[in-house]
Amino acid sequence: MSAHGPARRIAVIGGGPGGLYAAVLLKRLDPRREITVWERNAPDDTFGFGVVLSDETLGGIESADPAVHHALEQEFVRWDDIVVGHRGRWLRSGGHGFAALGRRRLLAVLHTRCTALGIRLRFRTQAPPAAELARTHDLVVAADGVHSATRTAHAPAFRPRITGHRCRYVWLAADLAFDAFRFEIAETRHGVMQLHGYPYAPDASTVIIEMREEVWRAAGLDAPGPAGLARSLDRCAAVFADVLGGRPLRSHHSAWTAFRTVVTDHWSHGRTVLLGDAAHTAHFSIGSGTKLAVEDALALAACLRERPTVEEALAAYEAERRPVVESTQRAAAASLRWFEELAGVVGQPPRQFAFNLLTRSRRVTHEGLRVRDAGFTATVEKDFGCPPGTPPMFTPFRLRGLELRNRVVVSPMDLYSAVDGVPGDLHLVHLGARALGGAGLVMTEMVCVCAHGRITPGCTGLWTDEQAAAWRRITRFVHEQAPGTAIGVQLGHAGRKGSTRVMWEGMDDPLPERNWPLAAASPLPYRPGVSQLPHQLDRAGLTAVREQFAAAARRAASSGFDLLELHCAHGYLLSGFLSPLTNRRADAYGGTLANRLRFPLEVFDAVRAVWPGERPMTVRISATDWARGGTTAEDSVAIARAFADHGADAIDVSTGQVVPHERPDFGRSYQTPYADRIRNALGVPVIAVGAISSWDDVNSLLLAGRADLCALARPHLYDPHWTLHAAAEQGYTGPGAPWPAPYRAGSRRPPTGRTDAPRPRLALD
């Protein structure tokens, strides 16, 4: 074993940038290593044209191998701006910072470095199978790309999951150097097409043309063979003639294809390790796969230096890189979906559209753009209607006769602490504290419309006058002690998810005793073999439930609530009618989506009829079940449209919790694309929810037009004064977030002790 780490004989499968750079680093760390790189293509035979690398990646290269960094520095084209072309306008945002070079030049630099270090390069040579190489080598680095033969051969070990997507794209070049990263949107008679372009040489730019597959086919760009490709490129060049300056598009082994997201459960198998696209892919719209591969190589080399065995090094490599890659893949997925749904937002005003595009992955935010380009961000804020010095989250918003002083909502949070449905002191303190904390709207937990509609024995209700009186105490406190804060009630019925223990004693676990009968759209237990079997509501039962909702709404009105939300999400009773996974009825309330909507709409109409006309009503829906065969994105838009047509003033767009086998795609703001889709498809106000964790997220979502209000739960558990603190941290002191008089002395962050020592006044060599 080398003093510098394990693995003396190393085989690298794939001569792309990731594989070559891994070979360079491993040889640099131990010159005695015998390293061979197999590449089936010729040295300059490569897919694509330009490669973008971040300053962070370049910093890692500079530290690890100054010679490679110096050679790359001579080749880079650098620029700072992004230009968005939209409906005849070009909007420019600066301060971003990019560096790119030609892929062939990058490979040439790495070939030269490999040769200088004594690494064997075998071009035009198919590598032996990884299993064969592993018998004669200490380490096999499989950098053989998105179509990795190594990953396929050992699929049971690596457990890859490959997902196709709905756009077609082609990787091209044009003989001109853009002065910025260009996003050009073309609205053709066939549909929306987009161009992604950036310079990679003083006289050349990478150009990627992308569009939904149905647009690609309708435009006749799917003709097969080289002649068909050539005709499609000519047509694309004509569509984007303005940005291309009339120049043609050229290809090199180019082909129209659909992006494939690769995720692997394990990155190593014995002595074989996956690197770059062989292990993971991230959509090109957020950057270069080369960047991830180079960073993989840096981490792999470091772990082999630091760990005593190959096995430990490969485990450490995956542990270090997987969280970074997964974060990148989440951002890439958000960006990919944004471009897939481009037709739904292209009608936005130009500056808002540009801001939406720039923040699509959630990695670039309102605050980040403000720092990079304050002028651009200020114009977007002005278009949005922000008064001078007012962040977007502190602009008012009107729903029917209710004006909210800001866009922050305290999301419903079940406390499971009521006695016989009566809210107590904890509810007063919980809701009162958050009202004093500055939010524009504070929502109750789900308030149940009958005793048998509770989730747990600790759930609150509005089926008795005693409960209504207790709620009146809470609304009076909010209105008197936090004037300007609105308080809303969420009405619901647990359906098949009722009669369970409180959350901290076993969420969704049935009560050990004193259970009550459950009712649902269909006789399906929530957790088969565990949960109680509900009975299917018949006509009399449906009528009774509808009247219970109406009676609860009357009590809510007399209790002084400013807004009422109908809970049609999360697998509770009304949600159970909407989802095809939970509604198996054969009558007029089951089958088609129109039938599945029938009972929730009957309940909505009954509630709206007794709820005061000047007070708004919202509806919370699960926009996806996160499960095969469940509610689709198209269904969610249709559901939202139906409620809006019946008079809903806003749609509160949540997801999931409908079936226990769901597989949510968790991540920061992960549910907001569903709100975005509904808002831009229907023009109806939406409330976005789901891991919105910072005031920067709130500002970004609002300014991009993805939401009108943002509901936050856990941040308000962590900090009841979250909204006031958000105002203080942004230096905002206006009417959107007034501090209660007794709290004004705390409106600035308390001073802390010094952690730095005074610097010397004079320093002498």
Side-chain angles (χ1 to χ4, degrees):
M1 183 184 295
S2 165
H4 294 288
R8 291 295 300 274
R9 297 194 72 218
I10 299 173
V12 179
I13 304 173
L20 291 169
Y21 193 54
V24 167
L25 294 174
L26 293 169
K27 186 71 170 178
R28 284 244 315 146
L29 288 173
D30 187 350
R32 294 172 294 176
R33 281 176 168 146
E34 299 176 14
I35 302 178
T36 305
V37 179
W38 278 267
E39 171 53 54
R40 63 181 181 178
N41 295 316
D44 61 349
D45 194 9
T46 181
F47 172 76
F49 295 92
V51 173
V52 179
L53 296 175
S54 68
D55 288 342
E56 181 183 16
T57 304
L58 291 174
I61 293 173
E62 183 176 21
S63 297
D65 194 328
V68 169
H69 183 268
H70 177 74
L72 295 179
E73 279 287 338
Q74 311 309 306
E75 305 284 346
F76 276 129
V77 175
R78 293 184 178 273
W79 71 98
D80 290 323
D81 291 355
I82 297 174
V83 172
V84 178
H86 175 257
R87 295 189 170 178
R89 296 187 61 180
W90 283 267
L91 299 126
R92 184 177 293 265
S93 172
H96 298 277
F98 296 98
L101 77 164
R103 187 175 175 89
R104 286 181 176 178
R105 290 302 306 145
L106 173 59
L107 291 175
V109 167
L110 294 173
H111 293 160
T112 300
R113 188 64 173 143
C114 284
T115 301
L117 291 171
I119 296 166
R120 290 191 293 272
L121 300 177
R122 295 189 176 181
F123 295 110
R124 301 183 181 88
T125 305
Q126 185 71 42
E132 181 180 324
L133 289 171
R135 288 194 287 270
T136 55
H137 291 77
D138 302 313
L139 175 67
V140 179
V141 179
D144 47 349
V146 64
H147 302 292
S148 171
T150 306
R151 186 185 65 228
T152 300
H154 300 282
F158 294 123
R159 293 174 58 188
R161 286 172 279 125
I162 302 173
T163 306
H165 300 286
R166 296 189 289 178
C167 283
R168 289 280 182 159
Y169 73 97
V170 62
W171 206 287
L172 307 165
D175 293 328
L176 80 163
F178 294 142
D179 65 344
F181 207 126
R182 303 295 295 253
F183 292 100
E184 298 288 331
I185 311 302
E187 296 173 78
T188 75
R189 63 189 178 91
H190 306 292
V192 180
M193 303 179 184
Q194 60 258 24
L195 177 151
H196 313 239
Y198 57 86
Y200 68 86
D203 58 353
S205 295
T206 288
V207 175
I208 304 169
I209 308 294
E210 184 184 27
M211 65 200 73
R212 286 281 288 259
E213 179 152 353
E214 60 267 28
V215 177
W216 176 69
R217 293 190 185 281
L221 304 179
D222 58 339
L229 176 65
R231 287 194 299 271
S232 73
L233 301 193
D234 288 343
R235 296 184 67 179
C236 290
V239 169
F240 294 102
D242 284 349
V243 67
L244 295 172
R247 293 171 177 82
L249 292 166
R250 56 184 172 87
S251 68
H252 180 69
H253 300 309
S254 303
W256 288 99
T257 187
F259 187 81
R260 303 200 311 167
T261 297
V262 175
V263 175
T264 49
D265 289 347
H266 302 287
W267 292 6
S268 63
H269 169 55
R271 298 177 180 177
T272 300
V273 63
L274 302 178
L275 185 145
D277 283 354
H280 47 73
T281 60
H283 192 249
F284 56 81
S285 61
I286 70 160
S288 172
T290 301
K291 172 184 180 297
L292 286 176
V294 167
E295 291 173 351
D296 281 357
L298 286 162
L300 177 62
C303 291
L304 284 163
R305 178 183 61 181
E306 295 162 356
R307 304 290 174 159
T309 67
V310 169
E311 181 181 23
E312 291 176 89
L314 298 187
Y317 157 69
E318 183 171 346
E320 176 182 331
R321 287 295 293 161
R322 183 177 286 280
V324 177
V325 168
E326 288 177 346
S327 175
T328 301
Q329 288 186 310
R330 285 193 295 271
S335 180
L336 180 153
R337 284 193 298 268
W338 193 91
F339 282 108
E340 284 186 337
E341 302 292 338
L342 181 58
V345 296
V346 75
Q348 289 185 321
R351 278 192 283 258
Q352 184 178 59
F353 176 83
F355 181 90
N356 198 347
L357 186 153
L358 293 173
T359 59
R360 67 195 180 280
S361 73
R362 302 191 287 271
R363 287 198 158 185
V364 177
T365 63
H366 168 261
E367 181 65 10
L369 274 179
R370 191 188 64 79
V371 171
R372 297 180 192 191
D373 191 338
F376 170 80
T377 308
T379 62
V380 181
E381 291 172 344
K382 183 178 179 180
D383 289 351
F384 181 77
C386 297
T390 302
M393 65 187 293
F394 295 116
T395 57
F397 189 73
R398 178 169 290 276
L399 287 172
R400 202 170 284 235
L402 176 66
E403 180 163 296
L404 302 175
R405 67 186 177 197
N406 63 53
R407 308 297 186 99
V408 178
V409 179
V410 176
S411 201
M413 291 176 275
D414 287 313
L415 301 181
Y416 303 116
S417 301
V419 177
D420 295 327
V422 178
D425 289 347
L426 179 60
H427 299 85
L428 172 67
V429 172
H430 171 76
L431 295 169
R434 278 131 194 102
L436 290 168
L441 172 63
V442 176
M443 292 298 300
T444 69
E445 61 192 85
M446 185 177 89
V447 177
C448 303
V449 299
C450 63
H452 287 178
R454 292 174 296 167
I455 309 167
T456 75
C459 290
T460 58
L462 261 174
W463 67 86
T464 71
D465 291 341
E466 180 187 5
Q467 294 161 355
W471 283 118
R472 194 174 301 114
R473 172 183 177 228
I474 293 170
T475 62
R476 184 183 302 117
F477 176 90
V478 171
H479 292 144
E480 292 177 356
Q481 300 301 322
T485 299
I487 181 167
V489 61
Q490 185 188 71
L491 290 185
H493 186 300
R496 70 178 189 151
K497 295 178 74 176
S499 194
T500 63
R501 307 180 192 206
V502 297
M503 180 174 60
W504 47 89
E505 291 179 359
M507 192 165 85
D508 296 324
D509 289 343
L511 291 170
E513 58 184 4
R514 301 181 66 182
N515 287 277
W516 54 83
L518 302 181
S522 297
L524 302 170
Y526 179 64
R527 295 163 64 195
V530 176
S531 302
Q532 183 185 154
L533 180 69
H535 74 271
Q536 178 172 305
L537 285 168
D538 58 15
R539 179 64 265 177
L542 294 171
T543 300
V545 168
R546 185 188 67 209
E547 293 308 311
Q548 289 165 350
F549 270 95
R554 290 189 189 94
R555 290 191 176 92
S558 68
S559 297
F561 286 104
D562 302 299
L563 175 148
L564 185 149
E565 179 166 281
L566 189 65
H567 201 337
C568 297
H570 300 168
Y572 298 123
L573 180 66
L574 299 182
S575 170
F577 277 86
L578 294 173
S579 172
L581 296 177
T582 52
N583 184 340
R584 305 289 176 82
R585 301 174 73 100
D587 61 6
Y589 294 96
T592 66
L593 179 57
N595 283 358
R596 300 198 307 273
L597 269 161
R598 191 184 304 273
F599 183 62
L601 289 174
E602 287 181 4
V603 172
F604 179 91
D605 290 343
V607 171
R608 182 70 266 184
V610 301
W611 183 245
E614 73 281 2
R615 301 187 205 178
M617 269 187 68
T618 64
V619 178
R620 175 169 279 208
I621 66 170
S622 284
T624 176
D625 298 336
W626 300 112
R628 186 185 301 275
T631 298
T632 66
E634 292 74 19
D635 289 342
S636 71
V637 173
I639 291 167
R641 178 183 289 110
F643 281 113
D645 289 345
H646 279 246
D649 298 291
I651 306 298
D652 188 352
V653 187
S654 186
T655 66
Q657 302 179 53
V658 175
V659 291
H661 59 276
E662 66 177 5
R663 294 192 64 177
D665 188 12
F666 288 121
R668 185 170 128 253
S669 305
Y670 72 104
Q671 297 180 97
T672 58
Y674 296 91
D676 187 2
R677 180 183 293 111
I678 289 170
R679 185 183 189 276
N680 286 291
L682 305 179
V684 61
V686 299
I687 305 169
V689 305
I692 303 170
S693 57
S694 72
W695 51 258
D696 197 14
D697 287 340
V698 174
N699 286 330
S700 300
L701 292 167
L702 296 171
L703 210 56
R706 297 178 198 142
D708 299 282
L709 299 167
C710 292
L712 301 92
R714 287 180 176 85
H716 282 114
L717 290 178
Y718 181 76
D719 178 5
H721 291 82
W722 185 89
T723 306
L724 293 179
H725 291 154
E729 289 169 13
Q730 295 174 81
Y732 174 71
T733 58
W739 282 73
Y743 288 2
R744 284 176 191 158
S747 62
R748 288 185 293 180
R749 187 187 296 274
T752 58
R754 290 191 64 165
T755 58
D756 60 325
R759 294 185 178 183
R761 297 279 294 143
L762 182 66
L764 299 175
D765 292 333

